[in-house]
Amino acid sequence: LSYPYERLPQLTLTGNQYFGGFNANLYTQVVEYDRNEDAPVLATGNRFTFYPSISLPMLKPYGYLTPKVGIHHTSYNLNNVAANQESQQRTLPIFSVDSGLYFDRDFKVADRNYLQTLEPRLFYVYIPNKDQSNIPIFDTNLADLNFSSLFNENQFTGNDRINNANQVSLALTTRLLDSSTGEQRLSASIGQRY
């Protein structure tokens, strides 16, 4: 039998504010984790997450460049853990740069006019390595690797783990648009994380 954790309660607060060209973001969450009385004795307690970040989106018709820096802080007050591990915290800086270019060309197939785009994208993320083995895992798992997850800062879902990263993701997307209606007829993407 599997006995998942219960969230009793959970409060999440997010905010986003522009200051000139800068975009300030805030993510905070407080959640209490417990298990029912029939479950095996495992760590329970509460987790507080605080992640402020600031980015500078530079957008042009031909592309974009968005550097971002933030501090991800998580603290725990735990029960049913070894002595001296009741209170834990982890603070990690996160730095990323997302960039892309847009190229397009008109061409004709039979009697129809189309617009083809070519959109290269480069995403870099740096997060230093930190031992997190003493922190319990309440709601975190490794995210599925798919095209959109190539551009995530953290490869984990949830807030119990933050991956160490010095990674570059490269991708190329092409689209085929009907010039008369603007309808997308074809989209193809390929990407790789290094």
Side-chain angles (χ1 to χ4, degrees):
L1 288 174
S2 176
Y3 297 92
Y5 282 97
E6 299 170 342
R7 296 176 182 176
L8 302 168
Q10 174 178 311
L11 176 65
T12 303
L13 174 69
T14 59
N16 183 3
Q17 180 68 45
Y18 279 90
F19 298 98
F22 290 92
N23 182 13
N25 287 287
L26 177 64
Y27 170 84
T28 57
Q29 184 182 72
V30 178
V31 59
E32 179 80 24
Y33 289 96
D34 204 354
R35 296 169 72 86
N36 70 35
E37 58 194 44
D38 297 331
V41 177
L42 291 174
T44 60
N46 64 60
R47 180 184 71 206
F48 170 71
T49 304
F50 179 70
Y51 180 32
S53 64
I54 190 161
S55 61
L56 179 60
M58 294 175 269
L59 310 173
K60 298 290 182 188
Y62 54 83
Y64 61 93
L65 176 68
T66 306
K68 177 181 173 185
V69 64
I71 299 290
H72 195 287
H73 174 79
T74 308
S75 62
Y76 294 83
N77 290 314
L78 302 172
N79 307 311
N80 304 325
V81 292
N84 300 323
Q85 292 189 6
E86 295 90 356
S87 179
Q88 297 186 35
Q89 60 183 355
R90 174 196 61 223
T91 302
L92 286 167
I94 299 176
F95 172 74
S96 66
V97 177
D98 194 4
S99 61
L101 293 171
Y102 304 114
F103 300 98
D104 60 60
R105 69 180 182 125
D106 295 314
F107 72 101
K108 185 179 266 194
V109 175
D111 289 334
R112 300 199 69 129
N113 293 321
Y114 292 96
L115 177 72
Q116 181 187 15
T117 68
L118 192 62
E119 305 165 27
R121 183 175 179 183
L122 182 140
F123 179 76
Y124 172 75
V125 62
Y126 176 76
I127 306 169
N129 188 22
K130 184 153 188 151
D131 182 14
Q132 303 170 58
S133 59
N134 289 333
I135 297 173
I137 298 176
F138 291 127
D139 66 354
T140 298
N141 207 342
L142 191 61
D144 292 336
L145 180 61
N146 55 46
F147 188 77
S148 63
S149 71
L150 289 175
F151 310 105
N152 291 344
E153 293 172 346
N154 192 6
Q155 294 175 21
F156 292 94
T157 62
N159 289 305
D160 296 317
R161 293 292 182 269
I162 304 291
N163 62 281
N164 63 308
N166 189 8
Q167 300 171 336
V168 173
S169 295
L170 299 172
L172 185 64
T173 298
T174 185
R175 302 175 203 277
L176 190 61
L177 307 170
D178 190 313
S179 296
S180 59
T181 65
E183 186 177 349
Q184 181 174 286
R185 299 290 183 183
L186 174 73
S187 176
S189 299
I190 189 168
Q192 177 71 45
R193 178 187 292 147
Y194 299 95

